[in-house]
Amino acid sequence: MTKPTVTLTDNLSGKSVELDVLSPTVGVKTIDIRKLQKELGYFTYDPGYLATASCSSSITYLDGDEGVLMYRGYPIEQLAERSSFLEVCYLLYYGELPSAERLQWYENVITHHTMLHEQVQYFYRGFRRDAHPMATMVGVVGALSAFYHDDLDIHDPAQRERSAHRLVAKMPTIASWSYRYSMGLPFNYPRNRLTYPEDFLHLMFAVPTEEYEIDPLMAKALDVILILHADHEQNASTSTVRLAGSSEANPFAAVAAGIASLWGPAHGGANEAVINMLREIERSDQPLEHWVKRAKDKDDRFRLMGFGHRVYKNYDPRAKIIRELANQILDRLPPGNPNQKLFDIARDLEQIALSDDYFKERGLYPNVDFYSGVIFLSMGIPVSMFTVMFALARTVGWISQWNEMMSDEHSRIGRPRQLYTGAAQRNYVPLGQR
Ligand code: CMC
C-alpha cells in the first residue's frame, strides 16, 4: 500500500515537498510538517492552534461535529453512568479499566495520600481571607514541590506515579481548605472510610460541633461531574501543563501552571461566569430576548456564557448528561428555592438561543458549564469555588497527559515559532536625539 502523502508546492520557487499524512486510530488525518521548514524554508501560522496537533496522545478522543467524547476509547456516557471517578482516574493514567483487585489497590493508595503536610497550613494563613480560592490553589499546588523534592526525578516512572497519586489524592483537601480558609472555618482532615466524593463534601462542609450527614444524591452527582471534567484532550490548561512540563519542570509546578490557565472565563472560569450572568439577568427587568440580542451585537462585549465551544460545534455530550443531573437535583429541592429560579432562566435562555439563527449558524450550543454551576450551588458550593471544582476534576487529566509526554522518548521542549511583525533592524538613538 502506498504511504499517504500530500505534496506542497511553493509557487514562488517552484520547489515541492512531499509530506507524510499521519492516520489517527479515529478522527482527522494529520499532515506531518516537520520537514517543511528545512526543505521549503517556511514556518506555518496557526494562532490558537485551530488546525494544529501539538502532540500525539492516546488518552482522550473527541469529535466536535458528532458530539463524541471518549476516555481511552470508552464513551463518556457509559463512564458517567457506570463507572466511578476513581476508576476513571485509573483508566486515564494507566490506560485500561482496572480489575477489581487493582481498583481496590488504587482506591487504597489514593485514600492514604489525602493528608497534607501540616506545614502546608501556613501557606493558607499567608493569604488574605478574601483571596480568590483559585489564587490560593495556584500558590499551594505549586508549593507542594517544596514538600516532595526528594521524589521529583521526572525520568523515573515510579516517582512520576507517586506524584500523580499525591496530586489526585490531595486535591480535595487542598481545594476544600481554600474554601474553609476564605470562610474563616477550621480545616477538616480527610476521613479514610469515605469515598472520594463523600470525603470532599465532608472536607468542605463538616463543622466540629455536629455530625456531618452526607447526602448520597449529592455525592453521586459530584462523582459524575468529576468524571465529566476529568480530561478533554489538548485544551488550554492541558496544553499549558504539557508546555510547562516539557522544560522538565516538576509535576506540581506544571499542574499549578495548568490551574492558572484554567482560571480564565473563556475556559474553566466559564461556570462562574454563567451564574454571574444568570444572576444579572434575574436582577434586571429586561426580557431574555434583550440578553440574546446583546450577545449577538458585535459592538457589545456581552456573550452568552456557557454557550459555544472551540471544538463542539453540534452539541457538548457532557452538557446533555449534566442537564439531566441538574433536573434530578432540582426536582428534589423545595419549590421556590433560589436555584430553581436560576435553573428556569437557564432553561428558557437555552430554548431562545437554540431557535435563533445566529446561534444555529455558528454552532453555538450549551456547553458543560451551562448547567454545572446550578448543581454546585445546590450542593452549597459557592460561585468562587466553581473553577476550583473544575481544577479538582481535571488534575487527573493533566497529570496523565504530563506522564504520557514524559514517557515518550521523542518528546522535546515545546518551542512554538512566530510570525514576527515588529521593526526590522534599526540603530539605537541616543536619549537626547529622540
Ligand atoms: N455568545 C455569543 N456569541 C458567541 C459566543 C457566545 N457565547 N461564543 C461564540 N460566539 C460567536 C463569536 O462572536 C463568533 O461570531 P462571528 O463568527 O460572527 O465573529 C463565532 O461565534 C465564533 O466564536 P469564536 O470566539 O471565534 O469561537 P472560539 O472557538 O474561538 O471560542 C469559546 C470558543 C468557548 C471561547 C466561545 O464560544 C465563548 O467565549 N463562549 C463563552 C464562554 C464559555 O462558555 N466557555 C466555556 C467553554 S467549555 C469549558 C471548557 O472546556 O473550558
Side-chain angles (χ1 to χ4, degrees):
M1 211 175 71
T2 44
K3 209 160 87 171
T5 57
V6 293
T7 303
L8 198 71
T9 304
D10 177 1
N11 293 333
L12 291 176
S13 66
K15 280 202 239 164
S16 289
V17 62
E18 194 169 70
L19 300 170
D20 289 344
V21 173
L22 309 175
S23 294
T25 34
V26 227
V28 180
K29 290 192 170 64
T30 303
I31 302 170
D32 183 347
I33 57 161
R34 278 176 292 182
K35 61 183 181 186
L36 184 68
Q37 201 249 329
K38 209 165 167 198
E39 302 215 356
L40 288 190
Y42 289 115
F43 292 145
T44 52
Y45 179 62
D46 184 18
Y49 298 99
L50 287 167
T52 299
S54 61
C55 62
S56 62
S57 177
S58 61
I59 300 178
T60 292
Y61 173 75
L62 66 93
D63 179 331
D65 294 327
E66 297 299 321
V68 171
L69 171 61
M70 301 189 295
Y71 297 158
R72 301 285 191 182
Y74 295 101
I76 193 68
E77 292 82 0
Q78 290 181 24
L79 294 170
E81 192 186 330
R82 300 170 63 185
S83 188
S84 68
F85 178 62
L86 278 192
E87 187 180 52
V88 166
C89 290
Y90 184 100
L91 173 68
L92 287 168
Y93 191 83
Y94 295 101
E96 296 296 335
L97 285 170
S99 63
E101 203 179 291
R102 283 290 285 173
L103 181 59
Q104 199 184 16
W105 165 81
Y106 185 69
E107 287 173 345
N108 193 49
V109 168
I110 296 301
T111 305
H112 288 87
H113 272 299
T114 47
M115 280 185 72
L116 291 173
H117 191 292
E118 200 63 9
Q119 204 71 9
V120 173
Q121 287 201 17
Y122 296 104
F123 273 92
Y124 288 88
R125 296 190 199 288
F127 286 102
R128 285 171 54 132
R129 290 274 176 193
D130 60 357
H132 194 288
M134 280 298 276
T136 318
M137 292 291 290
V138 175
V140 174
V141 172
L144 287 186
S145 47
F147 291 85
Y148 303 109
H149 46 77
D150 289 343
D151 224 359
L152 288 181
D153 178 358
I154 51 164
H155 300 293
D156 175 356
Q159 293 194 36
R160 288 205 300 271
E161 187 185 27
R162 260 197 304 282
S163 295
H165 291 161
R166 284 186 172 125
L167 274 159
V168 171
K170 293 183 197 308
M171 206 53 94
T173 317
I174 297 171
S176 66
W177 283 13
S178 319
Y179 166 69
R180 305 283 295 192
Y181 182 74
S182 71
M183 298 297 288
L185 289 164
F187 296 143
N188 284 326
Y189 289 92
R191 293 256 166 100
N192 286 357
R193 68 176 171 79
L194 299 176
T195 65
Y196 194 90
E198 287 172 351
D199 194 30
F200 178 72
L201 293 174
H202 155 264
L203 283 162
M204 281 284 289
F205 300 120
V207 287
T209 44
E210 288 175 23
E211 266 309 299
Y212 178 67
E213 296 239 348
I214 290 156
D215 179 337
L217 177 61
M218 292 303 182
K220 175 66 194 156
L222 180 57
D223 207 44
V224 173
I225 291 179
L226 295 178
I227 292 173
L228 298 182
H229 287 83
D231 196 43
H232 213 227
E233 55 117 298
Q234 309 311 319
N235 53 81
S237 57
T238 303
S239 301
T240 302
V241 170
R242 279 185 177 261
L243 196 54
S246 76
S247 72
E248 306 196 351
N250 71 71
F252 301 103
V255 168
I259 295 174
S261 164
L262 185 75
W263 197 352
H267 190 10
N271 48 16
E272 183 171 340
V274 170
I275 295 297
N276 291 336
M277 176 188 76
L278 294 176
R279 283 184 172 154
E280 191 185 346
I281 294 176
E282 189 190 13
R283 276 194 305 269
S284 83
D285 48 10
Q286 300 286 355
L288 290 179
E289 288 74 9
H290 161 83
W291 300 95
V292 173
K293 197 169 154 216
R294 277 192 63 188
K296 297 192 290 185
D297 180 356
K298 293 288 162 225
D299 297 325
D300 190 330
R301 288 180 63 82
F302 178 80
R303 280 188 162 195
L304 280 195
M305 299 314 288
F307 264 77
H309 198 275
R310 167 58 59 82
V311 182
Y312 296 121
K313 299 297 179 195
N314 188 337
Y315 73 91
D316 179 343
R318 303 166 301 170
K320 226 175 176 176
I321 301 168
I322 218 159
R323 189 179 195 273
E324 185 46 39
L325 208 56
N327 271 325
Q328 281 176 29
I329 288 177
L330 284 150
D331 276 355
R332 230 196 38 180
L333 294 175
N337 75 80
N339 302 331
Q340 182 67 53
K341 186 78 204 295
L342 289 185
F343 190 48
D344 291 344
I345 295 175
R347 270 196 291 218
D348 293 347
L349 198 58
E350 180 182 358
Q351 284 317 311
I352 296 173
L354 289 184
S355 55
D356 189 300
D357 284 345
Y358 173 95
F359 290 88
K360 283 200 272 189
E361 282 159 14
R362 289 168 178 75
L364 300 170
Y365 294 85
N367 58 49
V368 66
D369 290 321
F370 194 62
Y371 287 111
S372 61
V374 182
I375 300 182
F376 287 147
L377 282 186
S378 307
M379 285 176 181
I381 294 170
V383 174
S384 62
M385 278 292 289
F386 286 4
T387 317
V388 174
M389 300 304 295
F390 197 156
L392 165 60
R394 187 54 59 84
T395 296
V396 68
W398 290 329
I399 203 68
S400 302
Q401 299 264 355
W402 169 81
N403 183 53
E404 183 181 61
M405 179 183 73
M406 297 313 299
S407 321
D408 180 353
E409 58 183 38
H410 301 296
S411 101
R412 307 169 71 179
I413 186 167
R415 178 50 172 97
R417 305 308 298 241
Q418 64 170 9
L419 174 67
Y420 177 66
T421 56
Q425 185 177 332
R426 48 186 170 167
N427 292 327
Y428 180 81
V429 181
L431 196 56
Q433 292 173 27
R434 282 178 231 159

